Each structure stands twice: as structure tokens, then as C-alpha cells.
């Protein structure tokens, strides 16, 4: 055999061996692909079956969460509306005319004063409670209340100081107390069942 024939035979044998290996690799690839497709189909089917089984529960949970969110928003809106009622009442207190304002303050002061020697603190923007008004109150009620030179940061009303005790009759404090007492009634009127 000549060198060309030997080279041709080796080349032919190598080519035949490569074809065999390539054919075996393609068969192995097809087998792996069939197994992978089978696994994917099995997993997909199981996942779909599980999802189909859990779908009602997922929707039920989503509905519960949505209802809770709606209830939370509704409760927040109701809370705001209730607070708006009391905020508006505070605004009306702040806008009282001098006669109503001083009449209301006189009633509060009569109830708050104990020995008549207290110190009366008023707000920074107080327009109606003056030294003259306090002097008139004292003469009408046989009291010795003194008007403080120090002003406080509240919208109206007063704070009556008797040593270490303060009786807070500011509009904000009165409104807070009224809110605690009247809120159930306001809720009933705003949101009848």
C-alpha cells in the first residue's frame, strides 16, 4: 500500500469513527431533550395543577386584603370627617363675638376659680380678656384673680394658675375634652347604622 492509500484509509476510518461518534452524540442529545421535555411537561403540569388547586384560595386572600384596604381607607375618611367636625367647632369658638366670648369665659372662670387669688393666663392674640374685664369679674364675684403679663400659645380661652396647679380652659383643651365626651354622638349622627 502506498502512502497515499494509507493516508486515505486513515482519513476514511477517522471520518467513519467521527460519523459514529456524531451519530451517538445526536442520539444522546435527542434522548436528553426527550427527558428534559418530559420533565418540563411534568413540572409544568404539576405547577398548573397546584395553581388550579390554589387559585380559589389566592383569589380569596386577595379579596380579603382588598376589603381590608377599603375598610382602612373608609375608616381614615371617617376619622378625618369626625376630626373636621371638632376642628370646625374650634374655629367657631375662635370667632365668637366679644359678648358671647366673655360670657362663656366668665362661666368657665367661675367654675375654675377656687379661692379667688389665682393668676389668669391668656393667649398671645387675646382681644377680649383685659385687666378691666378681670377687675369687673373680681368685683362681681368677690374674687382676687390677677391677669398675668405673660401670654401663652393657644387660640383662645385661658389657663388659671393656682400655685402648682393649672386649670386649662383654652379652646384646644376644651375641644379635646368635648371630643372625648361627644365623639360617640357625632359618629352616630354622621354615620347612622
Amino acid at each position: 500500500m502506498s502512502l497515499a492509500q494509507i493516508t486515505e484509509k486513515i482519513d476514511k476510518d477517522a471520518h467513519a469513527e467521527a460519523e459514529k461518534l456524531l451519530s451517538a452524540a445526536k442520539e444522546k442529545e435527542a434522548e436528553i431533550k426527550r427527558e428534559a421535555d418530559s420533565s418540563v411537561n411534568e413540572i409544568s403540569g404539576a405547577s398548573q395543577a397546584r395553581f388550579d388547586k390554589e387559585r380559589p384560595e389566592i383569589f380569596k386572600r386577595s379579596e380579603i386584603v382588598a376589603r381590608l384596604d377599603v375598610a382602612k381607607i373608609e375608616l381614615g375618611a371617617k376619622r378625618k370627617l369626625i376630626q373636621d367636625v371638632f376642628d370646625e367647632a374650634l374655629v367657631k369658638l375662635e370667632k365668637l363675638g366679644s359678648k358671647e366670648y366673655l360670657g362663656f369665659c366668665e362661666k368657665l372662670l367661675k367654675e375654675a376659680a377656687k379661692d379667688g387669688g389665682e393668676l389668669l393666663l391668656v393667649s398671645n392674640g387675646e382681644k377680649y380678656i383685659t385687666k378691666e374685664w378681670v377687675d369687673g369679674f373680681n368685683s362681681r364675684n368677690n374674687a382676687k384673680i390677677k391677669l398675668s403679663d405673660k401670654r401663652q400659645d393657644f387660640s383662645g380661652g385661658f389657663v388659671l394658675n393656682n400655685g402648682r396647679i393649672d386649670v386649662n380652659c383654652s379652646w384646644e383643651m376644651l375641644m379635646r375634652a368635648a371630643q372625648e365626651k361627644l365623639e360617640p354622638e357625632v359618629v352616630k349622627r354622621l354615620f347612622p347604622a
Side-chain angles (χ1 to χ4, degrees), residues 66-107:
R67 284 179 193 224
L68 286 172
D69 287 345
V70 167
K72 186 175 160 184
I73 291 168
E74 188 177 74
L75 181 62
K78 285 180 178 181
R79 270 299 326 137
K80 182 173 179 345
L81 189 58
I82 292 165
Q83 190 58 50
D84 288 349
V85 167
F86 288 99
D87 290 347
E88 184 61 29
L90 180 61
V91 167
K92 286 190 180 205
L93 268 178
E94 291 169 355
K95 291 182 178 180
L96 284 176
S98 66
K99 186 176 179 181
E100 295 89 4
Y101 184 97
L102 291 173
F104 187 49
C105 285
E106 184 152 347
K107 286 179 187 177

Side-chain angles (χ1 to χ4, degrees), residues 43-54:
I43 291 169
S44 177
S47 294
Q48 187 62 43
R50 184 174 170 207
F51 178 72
D52 289 344
K53 181 181 173 188
E54 292 179 4

Side-chain angles (χ1 to χ4, degrees), residues 3-19:
L3 186 56
Q5 289 175 329
I6 293 174
T7 305
E8 190 179 318
K9 183 168 178 3
I10 291 173
D11 190 36
K12 208 184 225 182
D13 288 346
H15 192 54
E17 187 63 31
E19 284 294 324

Side-chain angles (χ1 to χ4, degrees), residues 31-192:
E31 181 183 334
I32 290 170
K33 190 173 185 308
R34 279 191 304 274
E35 287 175 5
D37 287 345
S38 175
S39 292
V40 166
N41 288 337
E42 186 179 312
I43 291 169
S44 177
S47 294
Q48 187 62 43
R50 184 174 170 207
F51 178 72
D52 289 344
K53 181 181 173 188
E54 292 179 4
R55 181 183 302 199
E57 186 63 30
I58 291 169
F59 286 132
K60 186 177 178 182
R61 277 188 244 138
S62 296
E63 184 179 344
I64 290 169
V65 169
R67 284 179 193 224
L68 286 172
D69 287 345
V70 167
K72 186 175 160 184
I73 291 168
E74 188 177 74
L75 181 62
K78 285 180 178 181
R79 270 299 326 137
K80 182 173 179 345
L81 189 58
I82 292 165
Q83 190 58 50
D84 288 349
V85 167
F86 288 99
D87 290 347
E88 184 61 29
L90 180 61
V91 167
K92 286 190 180 205
L93 268 178
E94 291 169 355
K95 291 182 178 180
L96 284 176
S98 66
K99 186 176 179 181
E100 295 89 4
Y101 184 97
L102 291 173
F104 187 49
C105 285
E106 184 152 347
K107 286 179 187 177
L108 290 172
L109 195 52
K110 282 180 185 177
E111 288 182 33
K114 297 297 178 210
D115 63 14
E118 294 92 351
L119 186 62
L120 187 65
L121 302 147
V122 294
S123 73
N124 292 324
E126 180 58 58
K127 298 181 278 192
Y128 304 125
I129 298 176
T130 62
K131 181 169 180 0
E132 292 76 25
W133 182 82
V134 173
D135 290 342
F137 175 87
N138 285 337
S139 68
R140 287 188 301 276
N141 295 285
N142 197 22
K144 297 175 190 159
I145 295 172
K146 295 177 193 120
L147 182 62
S148 173
D149 293 334
K150 292 183 181 179
R151 298 293 178 128
Q152 301 292 312
D153 189 25
F154 50 86
S155 64
F158 59 86
V159 173
L160 192 62
N161 176 272
N162 187 359
R164 291 195 276 172
I165 299 171
D166 282 340
V167 178
N168 190 340
C169 292
S170 67
W171 293 163
E172 290 87 354
M173 185 58 71
L174 293 173
M175 198 50 57
R176 205 172 304 142
Q179 187 168 354
E180 288 175 14
K181 184 178 177 184
L182 299 174
E183 193 168 292
E185 182 62 30
V186 170
V187 169
K188 283 180 191 173
R189 287 181 181 208
L190 287 176
F191 314 107

